């Protein structure tokens, strides 16, 4: 299928070619007939040619203006004449160019199938008639010329060929200057890339007073490989008329090129400068001196300097302080002038704004020198200076750091802040607190006037609330509990406000009671029950506390529930509960601090009235020797003889049922390894009766106590022996030292070599007595 389509396409192309040839042959026949009819008009062209040559001879007869013509040739095929045409008259060359042009136009018309017949004939329609025009190498003299005229014409033609042009006068005025003006006056190919093609159009305007001609000579010899000039000679041009020249540039090397495009006119030669520039960095600063003016110490002022790159090549720059620029450079406070951007990139045809910041720290004059360097080696460094004057602030705070020490929540703290003025007039002050601390801090008064060379005091009130950590935000550190708040005093006629800082360590005043609730359980009315709680001070300040309003059946020890807690200290307290009757107890204990804060402890218990009671709740034995026995007696009494609870207290548990009246049994539980013996341990007591119980105490020494005592005795003996040996060594050392000094005195010279050394004592290894464990001591 593809082969068939190819064949059909070929047949169609051949048919079109045959059709075009037939139409072209038809047009040629019509043109030949039309030229035969108009053949008589050729004599007009010959007469015009003769008139032109007479004008040239008259012009060349005046004094010569010698202009050396360069033997360049143009690479453009459109403007390169043949060697045989170099000697032709200008009119003949113009005629030939017009003939060539007409032939090209005729071909284009034939291709467009245009069969319109022109209204008059022209030289371009005369085939082979151009060759009949007299050639320069033949007899160039017009018909009817004499031998003298031929000689004059030959000399003038020779001068024309050698580039000698005579001055021209028109209406008595001599023309001076370039015969043609070019627009633009310089053909400049800027920022070119190797391998690309660039084109420019140049307009040539006839600046002569009369008709002029223009011929392309060529470009500079060293530029012929890179440039092509397209120029169609327009023929005779009246004054003020223009023509176009197209210059094509195809660079092969990345270098700057300079040259010219040469032309030859009727009255002389001229050239248009030609320049080609590679991509470059063209860097400049908009200013070389930055003057900050006069500013108050502590202010921050910024100025901007613009770095501009008007070239087509990007580069990287670095901004730094210049060093060693001369002895005249004086900088009083170099750190006060800084640069915000120290390096960066600047693109082609762009600019970068560099910010220079002035922050004066001390009063005085400041000057700094800066240098901008570039990575491109073809770019020279740029320098600029910055000067400024700083003066002291008229209003200041002598103590810019106000320390409130350690503060507690919900407590009011006050301080006085002194403000000084060195101004020569009264100034208005406005005190501002940051919005985060507006609910916790206040400055009074909020507005005031400070007189010249005087002081002003403002009252600071600080009442930290529980919401301070959330409100303060970045000004409060929850881990260290440090509050740092910047305060501002706005002064009229002073651009920078006066700042001072308030420091405080904010702590809580809480006391923590652990556990928060105490359950004493079942408690007999004949005994007391003890429970231990822990009281912790959460503040970093000491706090005094006390349990107040205690009920009669509760006791707190030590110190009856009063004391002082150091910062972050914990204290164990014993709560002793003694039920006075059988019931359920539920009560709260209140602990107050010195700042009147109250913390409560919940307690509950159940009172029990047992049916039996002891005659004594405490048995105290007399001093008893080891392996001896001491005996004491007590009674177990059963007083429960009636169930009438209205006449007396009846045995019960809390508010439970009353215990029945009858025999009641008891049992004593003795701790293990206890030296106490109770006889009898178990028994029964009838209502209204009592039972005798004998309690015996037999003290003995256990093996563990014996071993501990033996260890202690061995330790004391070892310490005594070590002390004795140490004293003996010191005495021996003192004796030998005395003998050594006596021996030196007897010799009289300092060459005694038998110097006593203490090393033998220091090198002795003394075994330190180690206390054995009691378990490791075995009886003999």
């Amino acid at each position: 299928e593809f082969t068939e389509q190819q064949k059909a396409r070929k047949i169609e192309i051949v048919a079109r070619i045959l059709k075009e040839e037939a139409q072209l042959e038809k047009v040629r026949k019509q043109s030949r007939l039309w030229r035969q009819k108009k053949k008589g008009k050729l004599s007009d062209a010959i007469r015009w040619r003769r008139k032109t040559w007479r004008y040239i001879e008259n012009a060349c007869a005046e004094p010569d203006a010698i202009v050396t013509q360069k033997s360049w040739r143009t690479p453009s095929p459109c403007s390169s004449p043949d060697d045989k045409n170099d000697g032709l008259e200008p009119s003949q060359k113009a005629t030939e160019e017009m003939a060539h042009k007409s032939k090209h136009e005729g071909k284009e018309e034939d291709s467009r199938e245009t069969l319109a017949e022109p209204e008059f004939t022209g030289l371009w329609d005369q085939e082979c008639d151009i060759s009949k025009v007299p050639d320069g190498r033949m007899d160039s003299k017009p018909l009817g010329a004499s031998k003298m005229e031929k000689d004059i014409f030959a000399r003038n033609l020779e001068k024309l060929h050698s580039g000698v042009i005579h001055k021209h006068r028109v209406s008595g005025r001599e023309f001076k200057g370039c015969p043609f003006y070019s627009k633009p006056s310089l053909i400049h190919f800027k920022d070119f890339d190797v391998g690309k093609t660039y084109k420019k159009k140049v307009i040539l305007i006839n600046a002569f007073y009369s008709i002029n001609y223009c011929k392309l000579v060529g470009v500079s010899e060293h530029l012929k490989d890179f440039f092509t000039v397209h120029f169609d000679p327009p023929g005779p041009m009246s004054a003020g008329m223009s023509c176009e020249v197209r210059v094509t540039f195809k660079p092969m090397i990345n270098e700057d090129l300079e040259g010219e495009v040469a032309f030859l006119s009727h009255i002389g030669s001229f050239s248009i400068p030609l320049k080609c520039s590679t991509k470059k960095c063209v860097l400049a600063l908009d200013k070389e001196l930055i003057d900050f003016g006069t500013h108050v110490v502590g202010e921050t002022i910024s100025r901007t300097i613009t770095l501009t790159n008007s070239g087509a090549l990007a580069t990287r720059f670095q901004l730094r302080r210049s060093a060693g620029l001369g002895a005249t450079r004086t900088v009083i406070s170099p750190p006060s002038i800084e640069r915000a951007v120290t390096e960066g990139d600047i693109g082609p045809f762009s600019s970068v704004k560099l910010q220079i910041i002035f922050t004066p720290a001390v009063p005085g004059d400041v000057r700094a020198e800066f240098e901008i360097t570039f990575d491109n080696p073809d770019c020279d460094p740029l320098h600029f200076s910055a000067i400024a004057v700083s003066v002291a602030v008229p209003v200041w705070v002598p103590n810019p750091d106000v320390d409130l020490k350690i503060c507690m929540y919900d407590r009011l703290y006050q301080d006085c802040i002194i403000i000084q003025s060195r101004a020569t007039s009264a100034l208005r002050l406005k005190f501002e607190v940051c919005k985060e601390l507006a609910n916790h801090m206040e400055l009074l008064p909020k507005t005031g006037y400070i007189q010249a060379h005087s002081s002003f005091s403002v009252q600071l009130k600080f009442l930290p609330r529980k919401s301070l950590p959330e409100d303060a935000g970045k000004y409060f550190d929850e881990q260290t509990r440090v509050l740092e708040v910047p305060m501002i005093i706005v002064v009229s006629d002073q651009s920078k406000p006066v700042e001072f800082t308030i420091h405080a360590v904010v702590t809580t005043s809480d006391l923590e009671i652990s556990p928060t609730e105490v359950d004493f359980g079942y408690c007999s009315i004949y005994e007391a029950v003890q429970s231990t709680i822990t009281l912790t001070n959460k503040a970093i300040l000491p706090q005094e506390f006390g349990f107040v309003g205690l009920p009669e059946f509760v006791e707190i020890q030590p110190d009856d529930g009063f004391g002082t807690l150091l910062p972050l200290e914990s204290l164990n307290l014993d709560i002793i509960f003694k039920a006075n009757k059988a019931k359920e107890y539920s009560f709260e204990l209140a602990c107050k601090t010195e700042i009147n804060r109250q913390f409560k402890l919940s307690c509950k218990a159940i009172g029990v009235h047992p049916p039996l009671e002891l005659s004594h709740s405490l048995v105290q034995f007399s001093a008893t020797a080891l392996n001896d026995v001491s005996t004491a007696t007590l009674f177990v009494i059963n007083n429960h003889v009636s169930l009438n609870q209205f006449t007396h207290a009846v045995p019960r548990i809390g508010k439970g049922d009353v215990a029945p009246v009858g025999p009641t049994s008891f049992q004593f539980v003795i701790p293990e390894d206890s030296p106490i013996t109770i006889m009898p341990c178990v028994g029964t007591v009838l209502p209204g009766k009592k039972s005798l119980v004998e309690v015996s105490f037999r003290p003995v020494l256990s093996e563990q106590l014996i071993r501990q005592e033996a260890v202690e005795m061995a330790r004391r003996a070892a310490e005594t022996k070590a002390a004795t040996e140490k004293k003996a060594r010191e005495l021996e050392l003192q004796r030998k030292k005395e003998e050594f000094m006596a021996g030196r005195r007897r010799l009289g010279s300092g060459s005694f070599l038998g110097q006593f050394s203490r090393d033998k004592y220091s090198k002795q290894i003394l075994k330190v007595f180690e206390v054995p464990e009691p378990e490791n001591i075995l009886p003999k």
Side-chain angles (χ1 to χ4, degrees):
E1 183 178 356
F2 177 73
T3 307
E4 293 177 358
Q5 290 180 358
Q6 243 181 355
K7 289 181 179 180
R9 183 63 178 167
K10 289 180 180 179
I11 293 171
E12 183 180 355
I13 292 172
V14 172
R16 287 185 180 180
I17 293 173
L18 294 175
K19 184 178 179 181
E20 290 176 358
E21 289 180 353
Q23 290 177 353
L24 184 60
E25 184 66 24
K26 184 178 180 180
V27 171
R28 287 177 179 175
K29 289 180 180 180
Q30 291 178 356
S31 299
R32 202 175 292 116
L33 293 175
W34 179 74
R35 281 196 300 272
Q36 291 176 0
K37 295 179 182 180
K38 303 296 182 178
K39 190 174 183 182
K41 293 185 179 181
L42 181 61
S43 58
D44 295 338
I46 295 173
R47 285 195 299 271
W48 172 253
R49 203 159 45 243
R50 290 178 177 177
K51 186 178 179 180
T52 302
W53 276 107
R54 290 193 192 99
Y55 177 79
I56 294 174
E57 289 176 359
N58 295 333
C60 295
E62 297 182 7
D64 300 340
I66 299 176
V67 179
T68 303
Q69 180 65 32
K70 297 181 181 178
S71 59
W72 290 340
R73 62 180 181 85
T74 175
S76 174
C78 298
S79 58
S80 298
D82 296 332
D83 296 336
K84 66 180 181 178
N85 295 333
D86 290 340
L88 292 178
E89 300 171 358
S91 60
Q92 289 175 319
K93 294 182 179 180
T95 306
E96 288 182 7
E97 290 171 358
M98 293 173 63
H100 285 293
K101 185 175 181 182
S102 62
K103 288 182 180 181
H104 289 296
E105 291 178 354
K107 291 180 180 180
E108 292 178 359
E109 290 177 356
D110 293 341
S111 63
R112 298 174 186 171
E113 299 181 2
T114 304
L115 303 178
E117 183 177 345
E119 295 181 359
F120 56 91
T121 184
L123 296 178
W124 53 85
D125 292 330
Q126 301 177 9
E127 293 184 356
C128 301
D129 290 344
I130 297 299
S131 61
K132 297 179 182 180
V133 178
D135 192 17
R137 290 168 293 182
M138 301 179 184
D139 190 5
S140 302
K141 199 256 178 209
L143 297 177
S146 64
K147 184 178 180 181
M148 183 180 295
E149 290 175 347
K150 290 181 180 180
D151 294 339
I152 294 172
F153 180 75
R155 287 195 302 269
N156 292 339
L157 188 60
E158 185 178 356
K159 291 180 180 180
L160 183 63
H161 286 175
S162 62
V164 178
I165 307 299
H166 295 278
K167 295 183 180 179
H168 287 267
R169 292 180 180 273
V170 177
S171 300
R173 297 176 59 189
E174 182 181 353
F175 178 78
K176 296 181 179 180
C178 185
F180 280 86
Y181 291 156
S182 64
K183 187 177 181 181
S185 60
L186 172 65
I187 305 174
H188 192 186
F189 293 92
K190 296 189 297 184
D191 307 327
F192 63 83
D193 291 323
V194 175
K196 293 187 178 181
T197 303
Y198 302 90
K199 296 182 180 181
K200 278 188 178 293
K201 183 176 70 173
V202 181
I203 305 297
L204 295 179
I205 303 173
N206 183 14
F208 187 52
Y209 300 142
S210 180
I211 296 175
N212 203 349
Y213 299 88
C214 183
K215 173 188 174 182
L216 173 66
V217 177
V219 297
S220 300
E221 187 69 25
H222 62 284
L223 300 180
K224 288 184 177 181
D225 296 334
F226 313 113
F227 286 90
T228 304
V229 182
H230 303 274
F231 176 65
D232 294 331
M237 298 174 59
S238 301
M241 297 299 291
S242 63
C243 61
E244 292 184 359
V245 179
R246 297 185 181 274
V247 182
T248 303
F249 173 48
K250 188 172 183 181
M252 298 300 176
I253 56 175
N254 191 28
E255 294 180 2
D256 292 344
L257 303 174
E258 289 188 4
E260 60 182 11
V261 181
F263 293 88
L264 182 62
S265 71
H266 179 58
I267 62 172
S269 62
F270 67 94
S271 62
I272 303 174
L274 185 61
K275 185 178 180 180
C276 305
S277 303
T278 59
K279 289 184 176 180
K280 297 180 179 66
C281 295
V282 183
L283 301 163
L285 294 172
D286 61 342
K287 62 184 76 173
E288 295 183 355
L289 178 64
I290 301 176
D291 189 357
F292 285 92
T294 303
H295 297 279
V296 177
V297 170
E299 294 182 350
T300 300
I301 308 96
S302 64
R303 294 288 185 269
T304 302
I305 186 170
T306 303
L307 175 63
T308 304
N309 182 12
S310 56
L313 190 62
T315 186
R316 186 168 184 82
F317 68 91
Q318 294 87 28
L319 173 62
R320 62 172 181 265
R321 289 182 179 274
S322 57
L325 295 182
T328 58
R329 186 174 65 92
T330 58
V331 179
I332 294 179
S333 179
S336 61
I337 298 182
E338 301 175 354
R339 61 256 185 223
V341 179
T342 58
E343 61 180 351
D345 297 320
I346 182 169
F349 305 106
S350 63
S351 60
V352 176
K353 293 186 179 298
L354 304 177
Q355 190 176 19
I356 310 299
I357 301 174
F358 175 50
T359 306
V362 294
D365 296 339
V366 182
R367 181 182 181 88
E369 303 287 342
F370 294 93
E371 181 183 31
I372 303 177
T373 57
F374 306 95
D375 291 350
N376 192 333
D378 296 333
C379 300
D380 296 331
L382 301 177
H383 300 87
F384 67 94
S385 305
I387 59 174
V389 178
S390 59
V391 296
V393 292
V395 176
W396 81 99
V397 179
N399 184 20
D401 294 322
V402 180
D403 192 1
L404 297 179
K405 306 299 182 182
I406 301 176
C407 305
M408 288 186 174
Y409 288 109
D410 300 322
R411 303 287 293 175
L412 178 62
Y413 300 90
Q414 299 186 35
D415 198 357
C416 184
I417 301 172
I418 305 299
I419 302 169
Q420 298 287 343
S421 173
R422 61 169 64 92
T424 57
S425 61
L427 297 175
R428 183 174 179 269
L429 305 179
K430 183 180 179 182
F431 304 96
E432 295 182 358
V433 181
C434 58
K435 61 181 181 180
E436 291 84 357
L437 275 297
N439 296 330
H440 309 271
M441 196 172 294
E442 187 178 9
L443 290 174
L444 296 176
K446 296 183 178 180
T447 305
Y449 287 87
I450 183 171
Q451 300 301 320
H453 301 287
S454 63
S455 61
F456 186 87
S457 61
V458 60
Q459 193 71 19
L460 170 66
K461 291 187 176 182
F462 179 48
L463 180 60
R465 294 178 171 83
K466 292 290 185 180
S467 61
L468 179 65
E470 292 78 15
D471 296 341
K474 62 180 180 180
Y475 301 120
F476 182 74
D477 189 350
E478 294 187 5
Q479 294 182 353
T480 60
R481 303 179 184 180
V482 176
L483 177 67
E484 186 174 352
V485 185
M487 310 297 287
I488 296 176
I489 303 175
V490 179
V491 184
S492 60
D493 299 333
Q494 183 173 319
S495 58
K496 181 176 177 61
V498 179
E499 297 180 354
F500 63 96
T501 307
I502 296 177
H503 300 270
V505 179
V506 184
T507 181
T508 182
S509 58
D510 293 343
L511 295 180
E512 184 182 45
I513 300 175
S514 179
T516 58
E517 184 176 353
V518 177
D519 187 2
F520 292 98
Y522 294 95
C523 303
S524 174
I525 61 174
Y526 301 117
E527 62 184 13
V529 180
Q530 174 185 323
S531 180
T532 303
I533 63 172
T534 302
L535 185 63
T536 304
N537 181 15
K538 293 294 183 180
I540 58 177
L541 290 175
Q543 293 194 79
E544 296 181 358
F545 70 93
F547 286 86
V548 296
L550 297 178
E552 59 182 4
F553 48 80
V554 174
E555 181 182 355
I556 299 178
Q557 294 298 331
D559 299 328
D560 296 329
F562 289 87
T564 301
L565 284 174
L566 297 178
L568 306 176
E569 183 188 12
S570 297
L571 179 65
N572 292 330
L573 298 176
D574 295 331
I575 300 177
I576 302 172
F577 171 73
K578 185 177 180 180
N580 50 16
K581 59 182 178 180
K583 67 174 185 178
E584 294 182 0
Y585 293 87
S586 180
F587 54 93
E588 288 184 345
L589 302 180
C591 178
K592 286 189 176 183
T593 62
E594 59 180 341
I595 59 174
N596 201 28
R597 292 202 62 188
Q598 183 172 330
F599 305 92
K600 293 186 177 181
L601 175 65
S602 299
C603 302
K604 61 181 181 178
I606 298 176
V608 177
H609 188 172
L612 300 178
E613 61 177 304
L614 297 175
S615 59
H616 301 86
S617 58
L618 176 63
V619 176
Q620 187 172 2
F621 295 96
S622 59
T624 306
L626 289 174
N627 298 323
D628 198 357
V629 178
S630 295
T631 304
T633 58
L634 55 86
F635 293 94
V636 179
I637 303 172
N638 186 356
N639 291 324
H640 184 37
V641 293
S642 174
L643 296 177
N644 188 359
Q645 58 182 341
F646 299 103
T647 57
H648 61 280
V650 294
R652 62 170 59 181
I653 299 175
K655 293 185 178 180
D657 298 335
V658 179
V661 177
T664 304
S665 300
F666 65 89
Q667 179 182 2
F668 291 95
V669 180
I670 302 173
E672 188 178 356
D673 296 334
S674 176
I676 302 296
T677 304
I678 300 176
M679 294 296 295
C681 290
V682 179
T684 301
V685 182
L686 297 176
K689 302 295 183 180
K690 57 183 179 180
S691 175
L692 178 65
V693 176
E694 184 178 297
V695 181
S696 301
F697 173 58
R698 184 187 298 275
V700 294
L701 287 177
S702 63
E703 289 187 7
Q704 184 70 15
L705 292 176
I706 295 172
R707 291 177 181 178
Q708 290 179 357
E709 184 65 23
V711 168
E712 183 66 21
M713 293 174 63
R715 185 184 64 79
R716 287 196 296 267
E719 290 179 354
T720 303
K721 182 179 179 181
T724 304
E725 291 178 355
K726 182 179 179 181
K727 189 174 181 180
R729 286 196 302 272
E730 291 178 353
L731 293 174
E732 182 70 16
L733 180 63
Q734 184 67 21
R735 184 181 63 79
K736 289 188 176 291
K737 185 177 180 181
E738 292 177 355
E739 292 177 356
F740 169 73
M741 296 302 296
R744 291 192 64 179
R745 284 195 296 268
R746 286 194 300 269
L747 293 175
S749 64
S751 60
F752 182 72
L753 300 177
Q755 187 177 358
F756 173 74
S757 176
R758 301 170 57 184
D759 293 343
K760 63 179 182 178
Y761 293 100
S762 60
K763 291 181 180 179
Q764 292 178 356
I765 300 175
L766 301 177
K767 294 183 179 181
V768 180
F769 177 77
E770 296 180 359
V771 180
E773 295 293 336
E775 293 81 2
N776 298 332
I777 300 176
L778 298 176
K780 293 182 179 180

